[in-house]
Each structure stands twice: as C-alpha cells, then as structure tokens.
Amino acid sequence: MLLILVSMLTLTLSPAQEGNQSKAILDKAYTTFETSKGIHLTFTLSTFDISNTPIDVQTGEGYAKGNKFKLDTETMAIWFDGETQWVLMKEVNEVNISQPTEQEVASINPLALLGIYKEGYTLSPPVTTTINGKRAYRIDMAPTSNRGDFQSVSVTIDPSNHALARIILTGHDGMKTRIDITEYNASRHYTDSHFVFNASAYPGVEIVDLR
C-alpha cells in the first residue's frame, strides 16, 4: 500500500512541483559543496564528437574550497584562487595566467557547475538512474537563451551524500564533455595557498601572463 501511495503521489506531481523537486536536490548538493572546508575528488574526463564517439579520455584529481579549486590531469594542471587562474601545460612546461569569467570557470571546474542552475537555466524533472551500482538523480538543464557556452547541461547527484556523480556538457557545436566522478570526499581541509601556483616547484617553467 505504501508503494502504491508513493507511486500515486509521484504521478500527480505538476511540472512546477517537479521543477521545485529538481531545485531542492541541487540546493542540497550546492550547500554541501559551499559549506565544505575542502573537497577532494577523482574523475574521468571524456570528450565526444557530434556522432557521440569518444575522441579523448583523461583521468584526474580535483581539489576545491568555496570558489577556489585545483585540477590535475595527465596533460595539465589548473589552479584558481577565486580571481586568478594558472594553467600549466605539462608537455611544454608553460604556465598561462588569466582572469577567467564565471562561465569560463564553470566550463573547467566541475564543482562550479553546481551554481549555474540558479539563474539562466530551466530545470527538467529529476530522473532516477543508476551510476556505479548506486541510485542517483539526473537533472537536465536547458539555457533560457542561446548566449551561454552550453546547449545543455546534465547533472547527476548521489542522494546519499548530495555529491556530484556525473556531468555532461553539450556545446552548441554538438560536442560533448562527460565528467564521471569516481571518488568524492567533502571532509578535507585546505589552506588558500593550495590553490595558487608555486613557480619554485616547477623549475624552468615559462610563464605567460595573459591578464
């Protein structure tokens, strides 16, 4: 009887209620991220062409605190202290320094994507799915205008800890980027210096200031 009641309640949800449900799920995930003193995650970054064929796959680690983050992959490392960004291209030992826009930060940092749902996007009802054998909620977001960097954004949340499990970004050219988060720990503690590039740790690095 309980299962029947739950099913009836789900079926009678209006679109507005479903949208509110999606927002509530994202609000919990965003609050968990925003209040953490340090998040560590491991991820797999896959790029797909317009025929949905994978053309590049990389693994990496991410570190975040508030609006600060550091990403480390096989080919590059990125530091962002909330204002300035350093991108180290490992093969050529070169660092580019810039001051990216919020949209540019969101396209690089998977955790920053948690904040873009608050304005400029329409939320679809949550869809129950399974990732790594665990139940999760997928929420698709469509921009309210064509001026954004993405044609669509899909976010999958693990309800057990309100953590990101997967992100799919679709560009206006049809190219897709999928970020699968394999480990997520929101109990770390990082100092602000963790998110600033330290040139002394990379002897001989060439620095290109693009600010």
Side-chain angles (χ1 to χ4, degrees):
M1 288 295 294
L2 180 60
L3 289 173
I4 293 172
L5 178 60
V6 171
S7 298
M8 290 175 64
L9 289 172
T10 303
L11 289 171
T12 54
L13 282 174
S14 68
Q17 288 172 314
E18 291 176 327
N20 289 338
Q21 188 180 6
S22 294
K23 184 178 182 301
I25 293 170
L26 291 169
D27 282 344
K28 288 181 180 178
Y30 185 76
T31 299
T32 300
F33 158 64
E34 191 176 38
T35 57
S36 173
K37 294 182 179 180
I39 293 174
H40 173 257
L41 56 89
T42 58
F43 61 88
T44 300
L45 177 67
S46 306
T47 305
F48 300 83
D49 63 18
I50 57 175
S51 64
N52 210 33
T53 301
I55 56 177
D56 184 50
V57 178
Q58 292 192 51
T59 58
E61 291 186 85
Y63 312 82
K65 183 179 75 170
N67 65 342
K68 303 174 178 63
F69 68 87
K70 176 187 175 184
L71 298 178
D72 196 356
T73 71
E74 301 161 20
T75 59
M76 67 175 60
I78 303 172
W79 295 258
F80 180 69
D81 66 357
E83 180 179 349
T84 302
Q85 177 177 277
W86 296 263
V87 179
L88 169 66
M89 293 172 284
K90 296 180 179 181
E91 290 187 358
V92 295
N93 201 28
E94 178 182 293
V95 169
N96 290 333
I97 306 175
S98 64
Q99 292 181 321
T101 64
E102 289 185 10
Q103 198 78 7
E104 289 171 336
V105 169
S107 67
I108 297 170
N109 178 15
L111 293 175
L113 287 166
L114 278 174
I116 69 172
Y117 74 95
K118 294 187 176 183
E119 58 180 48
Y121 283 85
T122 301
L123 307 181
S124 69
V127 176
T128 302
T129 184
T130 301
I131 291 186
N132 298 325
K134 298 176 64 177
R135 182 174 66 93
Y137 292 122
R138 192 192 80 235
I139 298 170
D140 297 325
M141 298 186 283
T144 54
S145 73
N146 294 323
R147 296 183 178 180
D149 289 344
F150 312 119
Q151 183 184 111
S152 65
V153 177
S154 175
V155 177
T156 303
I157 304 291
D158 182 344
S160 66
N161 57 2
H162 313 298
L164 275 173
R166 174 179 289 169
I167 301 165
I168 299 177
L169 308 171
T170 303
H172 293 288
D173 57 0
M175 300 279 285
K176 290 184 179 181
T177 300
R178 190 181 77 196
I179 304 168
D180 291 293
I181 297 173
T182 52
E183 293 182 23
Y184 187 99
N185 186 330
S187 302
R188 298 294 184 90
H189 293 264
Y190 300 122
T191 63
D192 289 346
S193 62
H194 191 80
F195 307 99
V196 177
F197 173 71
N198 180 8
S200 63
Y202 298 88
V205 67
E206 180 181 355
I207 297 177
V208 179
D209 197 332
L210 303 175
R211 290 171 293 182

